[in-house]
Amino acid sequence: MIKIQNFIDGKWVDSAANEYVDVVNPATMEVLARTPLSPAQEVDDAAQAALAAFDDWRRTPAVERVQYLFKLKNLLEENYEELARTLTMENGKTLGESRGEIRRAIENVEVACGIPTLIQGYNSEDIARGIDEFMIRQPIGVGAAICPFNFPVMIPFWFMPYAIACGNTYLVKPSEKVPLTMKMIFEMLEAVELPRGVVNLVNGTNEAVNAILDHPIISAISFVGSTAVAKYVYAKATANGKRAQVQGGAKNPIIVLPDADLESATRIVADSAFGSAGQRCLAASIAVTVGGDQNKFTDAILQAASERIVGYGLEEGVNMGPVITPESKNRIEELITLGEAEGARILIDGRKPSIPGFENGNFIGPTILGNVPAEGELFKTEIFGPVLSLIDVETIDDAIALVNSGDYGNMASLFTTNGAAARKFRYEAQAGNIGINIGVAAPMAFFPFSGWRQSFFGVMHGQGRDAVEFYTQKKVVIERWPKEWERKF
Ligand code: NAD
């Protein structure tokens, strides 16, 4: 059994943790590894190593810093399949989904390789006679990412490549449930011979997170996780004077108009709601249909859900894996029961799926509830499982009002063939990521991964230019050279 280590100051080190948590394959329930719940001292060790590395790293030209990322990209490509298999084993998503996630991570490395251009500032000559003004971007020092279980590879890459390419040094705290892929990635970072201390890995949970949030050396925090923890992290990080970009939970609505292309809308919504077993922060959770009986979407999505093949993600043909833990499975099942008690009708019940050979896995089949009351708890609560709630309204205005009635604002999508309706929706929907005939509106690495309302706390998002802004501070220089101005040399 693998005992997960930390990577601090260029070395793999055993944690002095008293407590460990098991890393369990959610399909087979095999224990794959044990994650140490690292004590605060180990965060301090990592922060001190990162600080010691900072001065030389920031002086390393950006064009040299990104050479390490070019090498990392090559290693990620070479180890793509092994990384994907490990991801499926620790997280449960299908092999195809794992490959897609790793591709997204690599795209962020590619964009961060453009930092020598992205980090450039701007200047004005002669803001007054003989006086010039410049804006230059400098790294902020030591940053840290605190990550969730659902995208163990991709999410750290929304932040880390940009942070280090901009000249910062770094600490990653993966989810304690899924440490194996980040272990592999740190082995690659070691292999590309990044100077020691530039990147550090500390495993654990609450104690390590609190130590990061309180640490005086760490000045920028990137967090992704549930809204309850996000609020805590944002409050603590900002009270300690740190920059924070903090992504929270989601409850993503999609609207289907009667004029939508039924075949593609159904396929896309089914992938969004049930892909990754519904454990995507951009998963469709509520489908609002407009137009009553003339809208054929309900029948079509029931059919699509019943055709999904649930099973172990490493097996051929499977297109939906298990949820992450037995606790998560129980919680999802309880929410389905709650929905029924609130008056929703269970149209497909995934609570007791039969998966031969994987009887102990955390499986829930695709589940669809109809007539979900908009004032109920089920409508408001993030389920984070393969459960789609249906609700029918009369007009697109009613549908947009429902979309905007929720607390979250991660994603909202519209399915239609009407351009004016699409424009109205794009303009009025209260969410940071908008899809028009798109089920998982995940921004490419050169766009910010947005999020509004209770789905995001902060200003600058992860990925692309926003990540460069977040991981640099602006310095404005106003410069006069009297002799030159007086022409006396
Ligand atoms: P989580 O909030 O349980 O954990 C996230 C991180 O916080 C982990 O590293 C964990 O160790 C740490 N943590 C958990 N409880 C803590 C506590 N009490 N004190 C300090 N640290 C704590 O989230 P999760 O279950 O790993 O991930 C799923 C959640 O993440 C969902 O709500 C999902 O919507 C959200 N998510 C959001 C986005 C987005 O872009 N907005 C992306 C992915 C996931």
Side-chain angles (χ1 to χ4, degrees):
M1 163 127 27
I2 301 170
K3 200 165 144 191
I4 299 291
Q5 292 180 302
N6 294 330
F7 185 77
I8 297 173
D9 203 17
K11 291 184 288 293
W12 289 99
V13 286
D14 284 331
S15 171
N18 297 321
E19 266 185 272
Y20 279 74
V21 294
D22 287 346
V23 180
V24 182
N25 180 326
T28 63
M29 300 315 273
E30 181 196 352
V31 179
L32 304 169
R34 301 184 74 217
T35 309
L37 301 188
S38 300
Q41 178 60 48
E42 287 159 19
V43 169
D44 183 52
D45 295 345
Q48 299 290 352
L51 181 64
F54 176 60
D55 186 59
D56 191 58
W57 184 243
R58 70 165 284 213
R59 290 173 195 277
T60 304
V63 284
E64 282 179 37
R65 291 195 298 252
V66 299
Q67 296 310 314
Y68 296 96
L69 294 182
F70 283 113
K71 290 182 192 155
L72 176 63
K73 173 188 152 64
N74 289 341
L75 283 184
L76 287 163
E77 299 285 6
E78 279 167 30
N79 293 283
Y80 200 84
E81 281 305 308
E82 196 193 338
L83 205 47
R85 286 181 70 81
T86 307
L87 177 50
T88 292
M89 280 166 28
E90 71 175 357
N91 169 280
K93 62 182 66 180
T94 67
L95 203 50
E97 289 166 344
S98 293
R99 290 184 183 123
E101 170 172 351
I102 297 163
R103 181 55 53 205
R104 292 251 162 193
I106 293 173
E107 285 164 3
N108 276 285
V109 177
E110 290 165 350
V111 173
C113 285
I115 290 289
T117 308
L118 293 171
I119 204 173
Q120 285 177 319
Y122 44 83
N123 59 67
S124 293
E125 268 191 337
D126 290 318
I127 54 154
R129 191 173 289 267
I131 301 180
D132 304 328
E133 188 162 335
F134 312 88
M135 190 283 282
I136 50 183
R137 289 196 181 85
Q138 295 193 335
I140 45 185
V142 179
I146 302 163
C147 307
F149 80 83
N150 65 329
F151 282 95
V153 178
M154 176 185 75
I155 286 180
F157 280 86
W158 287 349
F159 315 113
M160 178 179 63
Y162 302 97
I164 63 173
C166 286
N168 303 279
T169 54
Y170 215 65
L171 190 165
V172 177
K173 205 294 291 169
S175 164
E176 67 283 5
K177 298 183 179 99
V178 288
L180 286 166
T181 40
M182 220 10 76
K183 171 182 178 294
M184 288 179 69
I185 283 160
F186 268 74
E187 285 163 356
M188 295 178 208
L189 289 164
E190 185 185 18
V192 304
E193 296 179 343
L194 266 174
R196 67 191 176 92
V198 171
V199 290
N200 300 274
L201 175 71
V202 178
N203 289 282
T205 179
N206 301 24
E207 183 173 346
V209 170
N210 284 322
I212 290 170
L213 299 176
D214 283 332
H215 206 291
I217 286 176
I218 300 170
S219 46
I221 305 288
S222 301
F223 171 90
V224 182
S226 56
T227 289
V229 183
K231 283 183 174 168
Y232 171 78
V233 166
Y234 189 69
K236 202 169 170 64
T238 51
N240 284 335
K242 302 182 194 309
R243 284 183 181 198
Q245 48 179 199
V246 172
Q247 297 185 224
K251 179 85 184 177
N252 304 305
I254 58 121
I255 299 175
V256 184
L257 297 186
D259 64 20
D261 178 75
L262 193 61
E263 189 279 318
S264 67
T266 308
R267 179 172 39 79
I268 292 167
V269 174
D271 276 344
S272 175
F274 308 126
S276 295
Q279 299 172 115
R280 277 193 288 228
C281 65
L282 298 178
S285 182
I286 300 167
V288 185
T289 52
V290 177
D293 284 348
Q294 46 156 328
N295 196 322
K296 305 293 176 217
F297 177 75
T298 300
D299 291 342
I301 193 76
L302 290 176
Q303 179 63 31
S306 65
E307 287 167 5
R308 287 214 77 94
I309 300 164
V310 184
Y312 187 19
L314 287 184
E315 291 195 343
E316 203 65 37
V318 164
N319 54 19
M320 193 178 130
V323 297
I324 188 74
T325 56
E327 294 74 34
S328 190
K329 176 175 152 81
N330 289 342
R331 186 181 157 276
I332 296 163
E333 289 175 347
E334 281 167 19
L335 281 165
I336 297 169
T337 308
L338 170 76
E340 201 176 15
E342 289 180 337
R345 219 151 48 84
I346 300 187
L347 303 176
I348 294 190
D349 191 346
R351 282 178 289 186
K352 293 206 168 33
S354 150
I355 318 290
F358 299 96
E359 286 74 12
N360 295 326
N362 308 320
F363 290 99
I364 303 186
T367 298
I368 300 185
L369 293 101
N371 302 336
V372 173
E375 56 290 347
E377 276 307 305
L378 185 78
F379 188 83
K380 297 184 193 132
T381 307
E382 178 177 36
I383 301 175
F384 225 53
V387 181
L388 183 66
S389 297
L390 302 182
I391 183 164
D392 190 66
V393 297
E394 281 183 16
T395 66
I396 185 171
D397 285 301
D398 298 338
I400 294 174
L402 262 189
V403 163
N404 292 344
S405 70
D407 292 334
Y408 298 102
N410 220 32
M411 186 196 82
S413 285
L414 177 74
F415 288 80
T416 186
T417 47
N418 179 325
R423 205 266 174 186
K424 174 183 171 68
F425 176 77
R426 163 164 67 79
Y427 195 82
E428 295 180 10
Q430 295 284 318
N433 301 295
I434 297 291
I436 305 291
N437 299 312
I438 298 287
V440 179
M444 289 294 285
F446 37 91
F447 283 88
F449 196 102
S450 191
W452 284 15
R453 304 197 285 176
Q454 302 279 308
S455 296
F456 184 76
F457 305 92
V459 180
M460 238 57 88
H461 298 273
Q463 298 197 149
R465 288 177 206 278
D466 265 31
V468 177
E469 290 290 329
F470 185 78
Y471 277 109
T472 54
Q473 51 196 342
K474 297 186 188 75
K475 184 178 271 181
V476 179
V477 182
I478 305 176
E479 196 170 285
R480 166 199 276 143
W481 294 93
K483 286 208 163 70
E484 191 276 340
W485 180 58
E486 291 161 16
R487 304 266 189 273
K488 279 188 187 155
F489 54 93

